[in-house]
Amino acid sequence: MKRALKVSARALFGTRARLRWLHLILGGALLMPYWLVGTVIVGPLVGAKSMFSDSLALQFGAYGVALPIAAVTALLFPLTRPLAVALAKALCGVPAERFAEGPTRSWDAQLRTSGWFTLHAGIGALISGASLALPPFAVTLILLPLSGGLRDWVMVPDYLGHPWALALCPFAGIAMLIALAGCAAAAGALLARQAPVLLGPTPSDRLAAAERRATELAERNRLARELHDSVGHALSAVTLQAGAARKVLDSDVEFVREALAAIEETTRRTVGELDSVLGLLRRGEDGAARLTGPTLKTLDGLIARSGVPVSLTADGDLAAVPAPVSCEAYRIVQEGLSNALRHAGASPVSLWIALHGEELEITMENPLPDRAPVVRPGGGRGVRGIAERAALLGGHAQAGEQDSVWRLSARLPLGGGR
């Protein structure tokens, strides 16, 4: 019994109930301008001398006129939904993820928003009116048996002059306050149930959200590939150079000096690329529309510092390749060299790059070591990244072992970067 009383008291007067009551009061305040317009329209029809007349016909007539005007207003203004959502999130006790974001995008959403605004304002006006009128009357009833002066001042009816009637007045006043709290709690719960229905995302909202998430995921994947290719290649090269320098540390000082210089240059360049990618991550949607980077014009530098002997055969004017395609081609070659360095040591690499009509073809081959190959057909992140880069441009790429040779081939349409 005691627990039931606590639960009931929390439901009627707890923090959530008070916030929902405030939400209803705000709804009544939102309806007030429309109600004033309604009194101007209804007043002459019912013969009221003032818009603040105590005529019930005027009060409820203005209320009936105000609701459709409020509905039309909410229907015509798309920003009604974000304002209504902000209020409902703060005061209704409904999880934020169940609401839609931003202005309405369709007539269905606008109609639902209009229905919510009308429901909120309509019920809020009734609860607001009761909250203004009922508590003073209830308090008067509670105090009535305690003050004869109060009974004279409020002109108590004759039927309340009996002692038993006066004794019941405090109970009646308390019952009125509890009933008001119950009505407010029930109205608040009703709005909380209807809020996700009327202010929740429409199918178009869900589609827009899915498109945003897909765009964000694609951008993150693209940045991850850039980091993997540039930093991974640099680390592979630095590891090989450092290992070679360690082996001849006591016998070939000049080679060690050259290796340290190469390590310094590689790390400095990689830090610059890392800063560029992290800068885009910090800027988010305000960043550049496309992630810029090295292109095939700088391929000679990549080959020179790759750490493996490379035989390059180029066919066609590589400088004429569109920048987006050229950048992706550079990264594909870089990842191919990294794989060769990582899994085949210093084995020589044969690289062919050729323009065939509207397509750029890249082929890389390197012999596999005598031991069992580390790389499995299908590859790891690097090979998947190559395939993703090619697919984004509308091309394709594949890699695998063929007769003890690791072969990577990619075809990139020149129009894929447009």
Side-chain angles (χ1 to χ4, degrees):
M1 182 65 180
K2 186 177 180 180
R3 179 177 176 81
L5 290 175
K6 285 184 177 180
V7 172
S8 300
R10 189 181 301 114
L12 295 179
F13 305 105
T15 301
R16 175 173 293 182
R18 294 197 300 272
L19 288 175
R20 289 178 176 177
W21 202 332
L22 176 59
H23 187 240
L24 290 165
I25 298 298
L26 292 174
L30 289 173
L31 191 67
M32 182 58 66
Y34 304 103
W35 180 85
L36 292 175
V37 173
T39 60
V40 173
I41 297 173
V42 175
L45 301 178
V46 299
K49 297 180 180 179
S50 169
M51 68 172 57
F52 299 107
S53 169
D54 57 0
S55 167
L56 291 180
L58 174 64
Q59 303 295 327
F60 286 100
Y63 177 80
V65 171
L67 290 179
I69 299 176
V72 171
T73 302
L75 188 63
L76 296 178
F77 290 92
L79 290 179
T80 301
R81 185 171 72 170
L83 296 176
V85 166
L87 279 178
K89 279 183 181 179
L91 302 175
C92 272
V94 179
E97 61 270 14
R98 300 188 64 185
F99 291 103
E101 297 290 345
T104 53
R105 295 183 175 86
S106 65
W107 272 106
D108 174 56
Q110 287 178 268
L111 286 171
R112 291 198 294 165
T113 302
S114 175
W116 166 262
F117 184 80
T118 307
L119 181 67
H120 179 207
I123 297 179
L126 296 177
I127 297 298
S128 298
S131 299
L132 289 173
L134 197 58
F137 182 66
V139 171
T140 300
L141 287 178
I142 294 171
L143 298 177
L144 204 58
L146 306 177
S147 173
L150 181 62
R151 291 195 295 273
D152 295 336
W153 183 67
V154 298
M155 294 181 295
V156 176
D158 292 339
Y159 62 84
L160 289 181
H162 300 286
W164 62 268
L166 286 176
L168 292 177
C169 284
F171 298 100
I174 293 173
M176 288 180 182
L177 293 178
I178 294 176
L180 175 60
C183 290
L190 172 64
L191 289 183
R193 285 195 302 270
Q194 295 303 315
V197 177
L198 298 176
L199 295 178
T202 63
S204 60
D205 292 324
R206 293 190 181 93
L207 178 60
E211 289 175 347
R212 287 195 301 270
R213 287 193 296 270
T215 300
E216 292 171 359
L217 181 60
E219 184 67 15
R220 287 179 178 273
N221 287 340
R222 190 160 63 103
L223 293 173
R225 285 195 301 272
E226 292 294 326
L227 287 173
H228 175 272
D229 291 353
S230 60
V231 177
H233 175 78
L235 290 177
S236 297
V238 166
T239 300
L240 181 66
Q241 291 161 346
R246 179 178 57 80
K247 291 179 180 179
V248 297
L249 181 61
D250 298 326
S251 59
D252 193 343
V253 177
E254 184 61 28
F255 178 83
V256 173
R257 184 179 293 110
E258 293 176 358
L260 290 176
I263 290 173
E264 179 183 5
E265 171 61 25
T266 301
T267 53
R268 182 184 295 112
R269 174 180 49 79
T270 305
V271 167
E273 294 183 6
L274 182 61
D275 286 342
S276 174
V277 175
L278 293 180
L280 286 177
L281 282 173
R282 295 188 190 99
R283 283 182 287 177
E285 294 182 356
D286 296 330
R290 302 191 68 89
L291 183 63
T292 58
T295 64
L296 292 176
K297 295 178 182 179
T298 60
L299 192 60
D300 291 339
L302 172 65
I303 292 174
R305 58 178 179 268
S306 65
V308 295
V310 179
S311 172
L312 171 64
T313 301
D315 183 9
D317 183 10
L318 300 185
V321 177
V325 179
S326 185
C327 179
E328 298 295 347
Y330 178 97
R331 291 303 190 193
I332 289 173
V333 172
Q334 184 183 50
E335 180 57 30
L337 293 176
S338 295
N339 284 339
L341 181 64
R342 189 179 301 118
H343 302 296
S347 298
V349 175
S350 299
L351 171 62
W352 295 274
I353 303 179
L355 282 172
H356 295 298
E358 293 298 314
E359 199 171 55
L360 179 69
E361 182 178 356
I362 302 171
T363 304
M364 299 181 67
E365 291 182 353
N366 62 273
L368 291 172
D370 295 333
R371 56 183 171 80
V374 178
V375 181
R376 298 183 301 273
R381 289 193 183 94
V383 175
R384 286 200 301 270
I386 290 174
E388 290 171 357
R389 288 181 182 278
L392 286 175
L393 295 175
H396 61 88
Q398 59 184 6
E401 180 184 355
Q402 297 179 2
D403 300 326
S404 299
V405 173
W406 184 260
R407 189 172 192 271
L408 166 68
S409 62
R411 288 180 175 273
L412 308 178
L414 298 184
R418 299 191 184 107

